[in-house]
Every structure is written in structure tokens, then in C-alpha cells.
Amino acid sequence: MAQRGLCESTVRFRGHVTVGIFTYFIAVIPIAAWILYRQDWAVTELWRRWWELLICFFLCLLGAMVPDTDIRSKSQQVIYSILLAADLILILLGYYRGAAILGFWAIIPNILPHRGPLHSYLAAIIIPAPLLFLPVIATGKLEYQQLGVSYYIATVSGYMSHLLADIRIMDKR
Amino acid sequence: MAARHIRTRLAIYLAAIVIIIVWSPYKQNWSADPGVYGRELLICLGFGILGLTAPRIQVTGTLRRAMYGSLIVADMILIPLAYYKVAAMIGVFAMLPNVLKARQKHYGPYAILRTVVLPVPILFITVIASGRPGFRQLGVSYYVATVAGYMGHIIAEEKGYSE
């Protein structure tokens, strides 16, 4: 029974990651449009921000995993491994306040029921919102061009792809 | 078989109680304030329950929710009071079970060894919280209470598996 649950979890994980990859190929259009607008570049110059597109790709995949953090799953292991590493780095660097707040938010999915608040469109919009302001905080420049719109779009797209895939699976059942 | 398990658990709990009863006055230079002593014993009881239930935190259920709920409440008290170091440690401990695979890290042939190793950071909670390094500052009583609870759980589970 446990083995079956583990297999189902792995299939679910692979399915969501695959859907996330396909979603990125759609999301990359508004992401590229934002980068070009912000940098005031021609389309041919987009490759100069290849690293931003790569980060967006991984954020899209992570976004596709986030809703399943409320259940024992491979997605939960991946997301929490990243959060744990981030928390430990913050502690080692002496940012205890940041580590405490990150830890607090990381505990919350553990008390939520599966397919509960984390599986809602509102969560898909709100949870990635800090990504919008991370570049502003990192650079210290209060300009709208500094907003992490590309990161936000990538994560929301991944998150939405998970919700839509779940609806499709539920319909089939 | 069952009687042997019960005897082992009783022996572990008794040894833990003796260490806890002796450590608290020793920590205060043998001039134990009854109020502080009582508080220490209550905290140890909390750590004992934590150790006893910790392995179950990996399994989805009411107990898991209750444990994480209590950690959220603790964080909600500690963060506004600016105990960031302790709150950060709670965050790390809370994330660990989600990274480990259920019934593979907490149970198994090396489980008893893990019951001794995994709670080691608890030894240093009081050192970090007080900011004063020293042998007497170590959270020995909390550590012993957690290990005793954890070991009790593992022994009971092993009995369950063997039957």
C-alpha cells in the first residue's frame, strides 16, 4: 500500500514537472516581452539575459511543485530541501530574523489539508508575490524596472499549470 | 518479548528522570529555586513528549498537525519577542522531517543510534538563547528528556514490527 502511494506520488511529481516544462514555453513570451521592455532592447539582444530566462525556467518548475507541499510527496522534499538550504545559509550568515520568518512560513503548509488553501488561484497569485520585490530589496533601487516581474510570471505560470493539471486529473476520475 | 520491551523502556525513563532531577540543581550551583526547578521539570516533560511523538511527525495525521500547530504558536510568540535565533532553529527542525523519507530515517537498524544523535542540537538551544557558552549552560536535561521519549517510541515501534 505504501509502495503504491510512493509510486503514485512519483508519477504525480513527474506529471507536474512535465506540465511545468510545457507551460514555460508559453510563459516565456510575456517574460521575454518584460525583459525587452525593461532593458529597452531589440529582440536579437534577448540572449544577453540568458541567465534570467534560466532562473525563470527553474522558478516555473518550482511553482509547479509548490501546491503539493501540503502532502508527503517528492515535490515537498524538493521544495523543503531548497528552503532548508536557504534557512541554513541565512543562519550561517547571521540573518536570524530572516531565517526565523522563513522558517515560520515554511511550517504553515504542514497544517493545511491536501488540495486545500494551497490549491487555489488566490494562493497562486499571493504566494509568489515576494519574488516581485526581491530584486528591489537586493539592489536597493526603488524603481518599477527593478520589480521581479519575470520571476513572478514564471512562478505563477508554474503554479497555475499545477492547478489546471489537478482539475484535469479530477475530471478524469 | 513484550515484558522485555516494557522493562527496557522503564529503565530508560527512570535513568532519564534521575539525570534530569540531578542536572537542574547542578546547573544552578546546587541552590535550586523551587520555581525555576518546577519550570525546568515542566519544560523537560514537554521535550519528553516531543521526543515521544517526533517520529510520528513524518506521517500525515492529527498528531502531525497538532505538532506543527504548536510550533507555529511558538514561533508567533518568539518572533515578536525578538528571539530570532530560537525561532530560526525551530524553523530548521520543522523542515527536517519534510526532507527525510518517512519510516526510513527514523526507524530501522540504526534507529537507536539516531535517537542519540538527532536531538544533539537541543543541547545547544540554551547556550544559543542565553548567549553564554559554558558546560552548565548546556541543555542536558532537555536533551535527555527528548532522547528518552524518542527511544521509548522506537522500542515500542520495534516491538510492533516484531509481532
Side-chain angles (χ1 to χ4, degrees):
Chain A
M1 195 69 177
Q3 191 66 33
R4 194 181 149 206
L6 193 70
C7 284
E8 275 180 16
S9 163
T10 311
V11 170
R12 208 167 45 216
F13 172 75
R14 283 182 190 161
H16 283 304
V17 169
T18 311
V19 174
I21 292 169
F22 281 111
T23 306
Y24 180 71
F25 289 111
I26 303 165
V28 79
I29 298 166
I31 290 168
W34 166 256
I35 294 170
L36 294 174
Y37 167 73
R38 187 190 61 202
Q39 303 292 122
D40 200 15
W41 283 346
V43 179
T44 49
E45 289 177 289
L46 186 64
W47 64 269
R48 286 165 62 186
R49 300 287 287 192
W50 63 270
W51 53 268
E52 192 172 338
L53 293 170
L54 192 68
I55 291 171
C56 287
F57 174 72
F58 285 113
L59 284 175
C60 187
L61 294 190
L62 291 177
M65 294 178 205
V66 169
D68 273 349
T69 49
D70 58 9
I71 191 171
R72 298 287 308 170
S73 60
K74 190 122 177 142
S75 299
Q76 190 188 53
Q77 267 182 296
V78 173
I79 295 287
Y80 274 97
S81 299
I82 294 166
L83 288 176
L84 185 65
D87 209 30
L88 288 173
I89 289 168
L90 286 172
I91 290 171
L92 288 174
L93 293 174
Y95 293 110
Y96 294 108
R97 193 178 171 182
I101 292 166
L102 178 69
F104 173 72
W105 286 110
I107 301 172
I108 292 173
N110 292 293
I111 58 161
L112 300 175
H114 183 49
R115 298 223 166 99
L118 280 184
H119 281 68
S120 67
Y121 294 113
L122 192 67
I125 294 165
I126 293 171
I127 290 171
L131 288 171
L132 269 175
F133 307 101
L134 266 183
V136 177
I137 296 164
T139 57
K141 291 177 188 169
L142 206 63
E143 297 165 350
Y144 81 94
Q145 290 99 327
Q146 294 299 327
L147 287 172
V149 176
S150 51
Y151 307 132
Y152 181 72
I153 293 172
T155 315
V156 170
S157 309
Y159 206 116
M160 289 285 187
S161 78
H162 185 111
L163 301 183
L164 293 172
D166 269 3
I167 290 169
R168 184 101 182 109
I169 292 164
M170 296 292 266
D171 282 351
K172 274 188 181 174
R173 281 177 186 171
Chain B
M1 183 65 103
R4 188 173 67 85
H5 276 104
I6 291 168
R7 275 202 302 272
T8 315
R9 286 170 76 184
L10 272 177
I12 290 167
Y13 295 150
L14 277 173
I17 288 166
V18 169
I19 295 170
I20 290 164
I21 287 172
V22 175
W23 178 260
S24 294
Y26 168 73
K27 201 170 76 172
Q28 298 167 58
N29 287 325
W30 305 108
S31 57
D33 172 15
V36 177
Y37 194 48
R39 195 187 65 188
E40 282 276 312
L41 291 180
L42 269 178
I43 296 171
C44 286
L45 183 69
F47 273 102
I49 294 167
L50 179 80
L52 198 63
T53 52
R56 298 293 297 174
I57 208 167
Q58 290 195 307
V59 186
T60 308
T62 313
L63 188 61
R64 179 185 161 90
R65 289 215 184 106
M67 283 197 75
Y68 275 112
S70 58
L71 290 179
I72 287 174
V73 172
D75 256 5
M76 284 170 81
I77 295 165
L78 291 168
I79 293 173
L81 292 174
Y83 286 107
Y84 298 125
K85 284 182 186 176
V86 182
M89 292 296 168
I90 288 176
V92 169
F93 279 117
M95 280 188 240
L96 272 177
N98 293 329
V99 177
L100 307 174
K101 283 181 184 170
R103 283 191 185 265
Q104 284 190 8
K105 303 284 180 188
H106 283 305
Y107 300 87
Y110 299 108
I112 296 295
L113 182 69
R114 282 189 207 106
T115 60
V116 182
V117 175
L118 278 180
V120 164
I122 291 171
L123 271 174
F124 303 100
I125 281 180
T126 41
V127 179
I128 294 166
S130 66
R132 284 177 294 163
F135 182 68
R136 283 177 199 261
Q137 291 300 323
L138 287 173
V140 172
S141 49
Y142 308 149
Y143 170 76
V144 168
T146 313
V147 170
Y150 198 164
M151 249 183 212
H153 180 107
I154 297 296
I155 290 166
E157 284 284 337
E158 280 183 351
K159 175 185 165 285
Y161 281 137
S162 62
E163 279 175 355

